[in-house]
Amino acid sequence: MASGPHYRIELADRSAHRYHVTLTLPQPAADQQFSLPVWIPGSYLVREFAKHLSGLTARQGARALALEQLDKASWRVDCAPDDGALTLSYEVYAFDASVRTAWLDDQRAFFNPSSLCLRAHGFEGETHQVELAGLPGSWYVATEMTPRADGWQAADYDELLDHPFEIGPHWQGEFEAAGIVHRIVVAGAWPSFDGQRLLADVQRICEAQIAFWGEAPFKRYTFMLWAVEDGHGGLEHRASTALICARRELPTVAEPTAPSEGYVRLLGLFSHEYFHAWNVKRLRPAEFARFDYQRENYTELLWFFEGFTSYYDELMLLRAGLVDAPRYLKLLAASVNGVLASPGRRVQPLAQASFEAWTKYYRPDENSPNATSNYYAQGALVALCLDLSLREQGASLDQLMARLWQTTAGGPVSEADILSAVRALGGDPVAAALHTWVHGTDELPVRELLTSAGVDWRDEGRQTVAQRLGLRVRESALTGITVTHVLAGGAAQAGGCHARDEILAANGWRLRRLDDLPALLTAGCTTLRLLVSRDQRMVELSVDLPAAQAAAVALAPADAASPARQRWLGA
């Protein structure tokens, strides 16, 4: 008889969003402990999955056993080792519309085992089995966990947690890339959804990435996509990914040949999570060689594993022929503008941002743009700078990624490993520059390097009034103007504006739109007298409106014949 845990997961009450889980442990220890993870790898926030677990009971044969709760997510049971299997029963509430947890209703079931499957301490290395019950007859199961005649099995607890389940009467299709079967499962799509186009386009992405890495580290792969009214994101796994998108991002049969902005964004999401199958699921921070599921796991390398993946996700769309060079540069410009609009890039080094993701990136507030850097977007610009710097030395970031993959055998990576590989390809100056970019707060040499690579950098458009003042606001015809963020160093901060202020009037005029402010100034006057509601009190502020400057950076090919651009963009 197998000695590892067996989970029977029943879709017990779809209307109440409740799974019923029965965990059977054939040969428990005398002092058997269990715990539920508090986080899921790939999403660096303690999410407290145990808050949705209830009704936990334990039995050994016909005898009910007492459970002792040790902490917020751990329990122990006194067992008689000779009395046979230990059975735990419990319910899990599942109504979290994200890729990280679990969902159950009349249309769809989805779960990550980290939300449902207690860890049996001492048995983590044993085979884990999963059985499903209560499925409607028209529903089928999508997962890349190894199938059995009576369910599925994972080699150990780590593998169990790395295989989400998507269940329902969903659309699905398959394609082959490099001889490997890939499946796309889509829940919640509109009737006009063009599944064949999505299959064909994602196939090109997968083929480009397998060619990039030189091999695929899985035998099959599944994309699980949930289309909703509004949402966007994904979570990588070793042979699958869970994705969520807005329905308007899906391709439709009426869509023109040129992909819409929303569809390009969706393809970038597919590309990003697929790239993670190599870069973070195999290549991974040395600190993640073994996960501790009961506490935060810290690393300073998210700028590499998320940032470099963010660089390649859109670059792979170009290499797969899904966008051309001008459109790729437009996507790159959007990333540049997003980073330049955040004062926090001059405060928090990327290595520190990686380490503090648990408390800062995943818990943003009104001061986050002033105090934090974004290891996704800013890390992608570090990858760009490193790529272009290596190309000036006759190498490339492609070669760096291949070198790391080969020298580590697709395993744990340290910052020292990365710097050593950079030094071997580009020399000490490039390695020193990379260290400075991720541990310092100086501006990245993006403009200089792009110009050298044959890309024209130019200013575009004029600032909105919010940008001129250094504000981010929420506007509504009903509720007016509410300040959401006050950016450091801006005119609004100097004039005393606070987050959550309601801007009611300016210079004696009722105000509904911030962009109406210039019309309230007389010739030669730049001073605004703002009437603000703050904590149910009226406050008058004097704020100087700076002159409008260029709103954004635009990027375009400067010279189609540039050898540097040909090498980089593949022109």
Side-chain angles (χ1 to χ4, degrees), residues 508-520:
W509 289 82
R510 183 73 170 93
L511 197 63
R512 297 287 188 184
R513 297 173 60 252
L514 209 58
D515 282 341
D516 290 338
L517 276 175
L520 307 182

Side-chain angles (χ1 to χ4, degrees), residues 253-543:
V253 293
E255 185 171 328
T257 302
S260 66
E261 289 187 8
Y263 184 41
V264 169
R265 185 172 185 238
L266 176 60
L267 292 175
L269 178 63
F270 272 83
S271 180
H272 183 98
E273 302 304 334
Y274 191 66
F275 199 84
H276 271 321
W278 291 266
N279 193 42
V280 90
K281 296 311 299 183
R282 273 81 182 181
L283 279 180
R284 61 193 181 277
E287 298 87 348
F288 291 176
R290 293 291 302 176
F291 291 121
D292 182 344
Y293 296 110
Q294 306 313 123
R295 58 181 295 276
E296 297 91 338
N297 290 214
Y298 293 100
T299 178
E300 291 188 343
L301 290 178
L302 296 184
W303 57 267
F304 179 85
F305 290 99
E306 292 293 353
F308 281 38
T309 298
S310 296
Y311 172 62
Y312 274 111
D313 57 22
E314 291 175 344
L315 190 58
M316 285 295 171
L317 301 186
L318 174 67
R319 294 183 179 180
L322 296 169
V323 299
D324 58 15
R327 190 157 191 182
Y328 168 71
L329 291 176
K330 184 177 179 180
L331 295 170
L332 179 59
S335 296
V336 171
N337 287 317
V339 171
L340 293 179
S342 298
R345 74 186 188 280
R346 296 190 292 264
V347 175
Q348 186 188 43
L350 281 174
Q352 184 181 354
S354 300
F355 194 86
E356 295 182 321
W358 298 89
T359 55
K360 293 190 176 180
Y361 181 82
Y362 279 92
R363 290 175 175 168
D365 58 27
E366 66 280 351
N367 192 49
S368 292
N370 299 323
T372 64
S373 59
N374 185 318
Y375 54 76
Y376 283 89
Q378 195 171 330
L381 296 189
V382 167
L384 168 68
C385 290
L386 181 58
D387 195 5
L388 297 180
S389 298
L390 287 170
R391 288 176 186 275
E392 290 180 348
Q393 304 302 316
S396 71
L397 190 61
D398 293 7
Q399 294 174 355
L400 173 69
M401 302 303 287
R403 186 184 187 95
L404 289 171
W405 179 258
Q406 293 161 5
T407 57
T408 67
V413 174
S414 68
E415 182 175 324
D417 295 327
I418 297 170
L419 291 174
S420 177
V422 171
R423 192 173 295 110
L425 292 171
D428 288 338
V430 178
L434 175 61
H435 185 272
T436 299
W437 295 337
V438 300
H439 290 280
T441 56
D442 292 343
E443 295 286 9
L444 297 171
V446 179
R447 181 170 188 167
E448 298 90 331
L449 288 166
L450 283 174
T451 300
S452 297
V455 174
D456 183 26
W457 176 296
R458 60 177 183 269
D459 295 330
E460 183 178 68
R462 308 304 290 172
Q463 289 177 316
T464 64
V465 171
Q467 290 172 322
R468 292 165 68 181
L469 290 171
L471 287 178
R472 295 179 184 176
V473 300
R474 181 175 62 251
E475 293 182 334
S476 165
L478 296 176
T479 60
I481 304 165
T482 301
V483 176
T484 59
H485 300 83
V486 181
L487 301 184
Q493 186 186 63
C497 283
H498 294 183
R500 294 185 288 278
D501 281 352
E502 296 177 61
I503 302 177
L504 304 177
N507 294 9
W509 289 82
R510 183 73 170 93
L511 197 63
R512 297 287 188 184
R513 297 173 60 252
L514 209 58
D515 282 341
D516 290 338
L517 276 175
L520 307 182
L521 292 169
T522 58
C525 178
T526 61
T527 301
L528 297 166
R529 290 175 287 107
L530 301 182
L531 181 63
V532 168
S533 173
R534 181 182 296 166
D535 191 25
Q536 296 185 323
R537 298 176 182 176
M538 295 301 161
V539 179
E540 290 186 339
L541 304 174
S542 179
V543 178

Side-chain angles (χ1 to χ4, degrees), residues 29-238:
D31 179 26
Q32 184 62 55
Q33 296 188 23
F34 299 89
S35 61
L36 196 66
V38 302
W39 71 290
I40 183 170
S43 183
Y44 307 103
L45 178 67
V46 172
R47 297 185 181 276
E48 313 290 19
F49 300 131
K51 68 183 178 182
H52 294 306
L53 187 151
S54 62
L56 180 62
T57 62
R59 303 189 70 84
Q60 199 170 14
R63 184 166 59 94
L65 303 180
L67 282 153
E68 177 187 0
Q69 186 159 4
L70 304 176
D71 58 32
K72 62 185 178 182
S74 302
W75 297 261
R76 66 178 295 275
V77 186
D78 284 327
C79 300
D82 297 331
D83 282 359
L86 170 65
T87 300
L88 300 186
S89 296
Y90 52 96
E91 290 191 337
V92 176
Y93 177 73
F95 202 54
D96 187 330
S98 83
V99 296
R100 309 173 190 94
T101 50
W103 177 273
L104 181 61
D105 66 6
D106 288 333
Q107 305 297 318
R108 172 181 180 261
F110 170 83
F111 64 86
N112 288 287
S114 51
S115 292
L116 269 63
C117 297
L118 287 166
R119 174 167 65 98
H121 293 207
F123 293 86
E124 294 89 344
E126 301 288 336
T127 299
H128 288 57
Q129 300 177 27
V130 174
E131 172 191 354
L132 294 179
L135 274 65
S138 60
W139 289 22
Y140 64 86
V141 179
T143 183
E144 285 304 325
M145 192 178 292
T146 303
R148 293 168 42 99
D150 55 352
W152 297 265
Q153 71 177 25
D156 52 33
Y157 191 73
D158 286 336
E159 184 178 314
L160 174 76
L161 265 53
D162 220 4
H163 287 293
F165 282 69
E166 178 70 57
I167 307 166
H170 310 320
W171 181 94
Q172 68 171 332
E174 292 185 350
F175 61 83
E176 285 193 8
I180 296 170
V181 173
H182 293 65
R183 172 174 50 173
I184 300 179
V185 179
V186 183
W190 276 324
S192 60
F193 166 56
D194 188 349
Q196 295 307 310
R197 179 172 186 177
L198 183 64
L199 286 171
D201 290 344
V202 175
Q203 179 182 21
R204 293 166 71 174
I205 294 170
C206 296
E207 289 172 343
Q209 293 198 19
I210 293 174
F212 173 88
W213 290 102
E215 61 179 314
F218 39 75
K219 296 180 180 179
R220 286 178 52 93
Y221 194 92
T222 293
F223 297 93
M224 306 172 187
L225 176 62
W226 187 24
V228 296
E229 175 64 21
D230 193 22
H232 187 88
L235 186 64
E236 68 275 1
H237 297 277
R238 65 181 64 187

